[in-house]
Amino acid sequence: MFPLAGTPIWRSACFCMIATGTLCACAVGPDFVRPAPPVADRYTSEPQAGTTVAADGHTQRFTSGAPIPADWWRLFQSPQLDAMVQQAITNNPTLEASEATLRQSQDNLRAGYGVFFPQIDAGLAGVRERSLPLQQGLQTTGTLFNLVTLSGSIGYTLDVFGGERRTVEGLRAQTDSQRYASKAAYLTLSANVVNTSIARAAYAAQIRATGQLIEMENQQLGATQAQVNAGTSAYASVLSQRSLIAANLAALAALRQKIDQSEHLLATLEGKLPSMAALPDIDLAGLSLPTDLPVSLPSDLVRQRPDILQAEAQLHVASATIGVATAAMFPSFSLSGTYGAAGTSLGNLSAESGRFWSIGPSLSVPLFRGGSLWYARKAAIDAYQASQATYRQTVLNAFAQVADALKSLEHDAEALQAQAEAQSAALEALHMLQANYRAGMAAYVDVLTADVQFHQASIAYLQAVAQRHQDTVALFVALGGGWWLEQSPGGQGHAP
């Protein structure tokens, strides 16, 4: 029997390699430190208002430091909307690709940890060979023989200057980066589903409003035709009414096209072909506007937005790369050992005369590389500085998005309040002019003008309602979407 792993020499080699590697614990290069949060106590130049103005019966309130629910879309209180978001999370190919890439980075990290263990290999070779003594300067006749070799080798890299540890550190940071990229994809997907669903519901509401207006205009056309037949009105009034109806029908076709496009997008987000998607109907009026809105503290934003955390992880990768490039400029050490036996057949491998072994350290010192190692380190430092700038820009963009969302909600409420008043006034004016026209007390052109004004006011009102809902979504997304409060199987939230 071939006693490979049980020999004293082999055990001593393993012990020396592990012990030496454990003692060598220094690592060159910078130790990564998380960037400090920006020093700010608010997002906008002036203090944040506590509430918006009352509009359409709703006032939105901002609560500083309140937690953001992970399933924030449920605040719209629409089971159909929740079902579509869940369907997209389950089937969206982009999200699946992001999660697969995350698993890939995790497996690469596990593979990287292998450098901290001895590398053990075994080999078995058998050859039939004819020797040629003339190659050694001998004049004897060559011989024909068999040679069977069974050997084992062990090697251990002594990470004296921490290059391998920095490499694994970079792999770990890359895994963090991909984890946050996956969270960003999750947040973007849910926001796209909610926003597209709101837009689709708004288009449907505009179609209903335009259809009701066209029905009213057709009734008005009949009355106008009767007046023309009675000789009390000019035929030009009929032509003007028909022109108005045709224009509204054209607007109706454009709205239907937008609904088709939104449905195709929703089908794609849910991972289905447009021809196979069955989307539930969502009524814009049936969506509940979230009124209590959490606003994270500025110091917390950089610890919860996936894009900021991803930029921070990339900064960590760049920091570890400097350590790897720095360690490459220093000597590298390793220990290796080999133990084996050789013989003319498998049966005589246990013969003492066929045993061989070797053990010893090795040292490699980079003496001259034409400046490649020096400039590789400078390039790593440059990349780190670029990552720092990218991180700062990501933070600036994030704060600007939150400020935009907060201001948008304030202005949305003001705009919706004005649009509601404009719609109410336009409808009242239309009814009055229609009555006066039937009584012969108003010109037909006034009725047409009131028709157009009411239609424009109705569409603008519905657009303002949808915009308020979508800007509410934008605030949740700008604050990070609450993914860190998502419950894990153990019942605990995920820490950023």
Side-chain angles (χ1 to χ4, degrees):
M1 181 178 178
F2 178 46
L4 182 62
T7 62
I9 295 175
W10 198 257
R11 289 196 299 269
S12 299
C14 293
F15 176 77
C16 291
M17 292 176 184
I18 297 174
T20 307
T22 303
L23 293 174
C24 301
C26 77
V28 296
D31 292 327
F32 180 72
V33 178
R34 298 186 75 175
V39 180
D41 59 354
R42 59 176 182 257
Y43 295 99
T44 55
S45 56
E46 64 277 354
Q48 173 63 42
T51 63
T52 65
V53 299
D56 203 24
H58 298 287
T59 299
Q60 291 183 302
R61 295 175 292 275
F62 303 107
T63 305
S64 180
I68 303 170
D71 50 355
W72 51 267
W73 56 85
R74 291 187 177 178
L75 296 177
F76 290 94
Q77 298 181 15
S78 171
Q80 296 86 352
L81 180 62
D82 179 53
M84 284 198 291
V85 173
Q86 297 298 334
Q87 179 75 15
I89 292 174
T90 302
N91 296 327
N92 182 260
T94 300
L95 188 58
E96 290 179 2
S98 177
E99 292 172 348
T101 304
L102 172 59
R103 293 193 299 271
Q104 177 188 9
S105 64
Q106 291 170 337
D107 290 335
N108 285 334
L109 174 60
R110 296 185 183 102
Y113 278 122
V115 74
F116 299 131
F117 297 90
Q119 309 299 306
I120 303 174
D121 298 295
L124 173 64
V127 295
R128 183 169 178 78
E129 182 177 338
R130 186 182 187 280
S131 65
L132 183 59
L134 186 61
Q135 291 178 321
Q136 284 79 38
L138 303 177
Q139 298 299 321
T140 59
T141 304
T143 58
L144 190 66
F145 62 93
N146 296 330
L147 179 63
V148 178
T149 304
L150 177 62
S151 65
S153 63
I154 181 171
Y156 189 79
T157 300
L158 303 179
D159 195 20
V160 176
F161 297 102
E164 301 295 345
R165 288 194 293 280
R166 292 301 188 194
T167 299
V168 173
E169 179 185 348
L171 290 173
R172 189 183 305 112
Q174 189 63 49
T175 300
D176 291 338
S177 175
Q178 187 54 47
R179 178 182 299 109
Y180 297 130
S182 182
K183 295 300 181 183
Y186 167 87
L187 179 58
T188 301
L189 173 63
S190 57
N192 285 341
V193 172
V194 175
N195 273 330
T196 306
S197 298
I198 292 173
R200 174 172 171 254
Y203 296 144
Q206 293 177 46
I207 286 176
R208 288 192 295 270
T210 304
Q212 293 169 359
L213 181 62
I214 292 174
E215 182 180 354
M216 183 174 59
E217 289 171 344
N218 280 323
Q219 295 173 359
Q220 191 170 305
L221 176 62
T224 303
Q225 184 67 54
Q227 290 178 351
V228 171
N229 293 338
T232 59
S233 181
Y235 185 69
S237 300
V238 173
L239 296 178
S240 297
Q241 185 69 12
R242 287 177 178 173
S243 176
L244 181 60
I245 293 173
N248 288 331
L249 287 173
L252 202 61
L255 288 171
R256 288 183 177 133
Q257 179 184 3
K258 290 181 178 179
I259 278 194
D260 291 338
Q261 291 173 340
S262 63
E263 290 178 346
H264 298 162
L265 176 56
L266 284 171
T268 302
L269 293 173
E270 292 189 353
K272 294 183 178 180
L273 297 174
S275 60
M276 302 179 63
L279 302 175
D281 291 328
I282 296 178
D283 186 5
L284 183 63
L287 292 174
S288 177
L289 180 72
T291 54
D292 293 313
L293 301 178
V295 180
S296 302
L297 298 175
S299 58
D300 292 335
L301 185 68
V302 296
R303 301 293 186 248
Q304 63 192 40
R305 285 237 337 186
D307 57 340
I308 296 179
L309 293 170
Q310 184 182 7
E312 179 185 309
Q314 287 297 327
L315 183 62
H316 193 175
V317 172
S319 173
T321 303
I322 295 177
V324 174
T326 303
M329 302 174 65
F330 289 87
S332 59
F333 303 87
S334 64
L335 288 174
S336 62
T338 302
Y339 187 89
T344 58
S345 66
L346 288 174
N348 60 12
L349 283 179
S350 59
E352 187 68 26
S353 59
R355 306 258 179 105
F356 62 91
W357 61 268
S358 67
I359 184 171
S362 64
L363 167 66
S364 175
V365 182
L367 296 178
F368 179 74
R369 299 288 179 87
S372 60
L373 296 179
W374 173 262
Y375 285 105
R377 183 177 183 276
K378 286 182 64 67
I381 293 174
D382 295 335
Y384 178 77
Q385 293 172 346
S387 294
Q388 280 185 317
T390 300
Y391 175 82
R392 292 196 302 270
Q393 188 62 57
T394 303
V395 172
L396 290 173
N397 293 341
F399 274 69
Q401 288 172 8
V402 176
D404 286 345
L406 291 172
K407 283 299 182 182
S408 295
L409 289 175
E410 293 181 30
H411 299 316
D412 286 344
E414 297 167 355
L416 181 57
Q417 182 185 36
Q419 292 295 349
E421 294 175 356
Q423 183 189 37
S424 177
L427 180 60
E428 185 178 356
L430 177 60
H431 288 164
M432 291 178 62
L433 285 169
Q434 285 175 333
N436 290 339
Y437 176 70
R438 286 191 295 268
M441 299 171 57
Y444 186 72
V445 66
D446 295 333
V447 178
L448 291 178
T449 302
D451 259 342
V452 173
Q453 289 177 341
F454 174 67
H455 180 243
Q456 291 175 341
S458 298
I459 298 301
Y461 167 78
L462 293 172
Q463 290 174 342
V465 171
Q467 188 64 51
R468 196 182 191 191
H469 282 72
Q470 289 183 326
D471 284 336
T472 301
V473 174
L475 178 61
F476 285 120
V477 174
L479 294 173
W483 60 268
W484 57 95
L485 296 178
E486 182 183 6
Q487 293 299 308
S488 63
Q492 299 295 324
H494 301 286

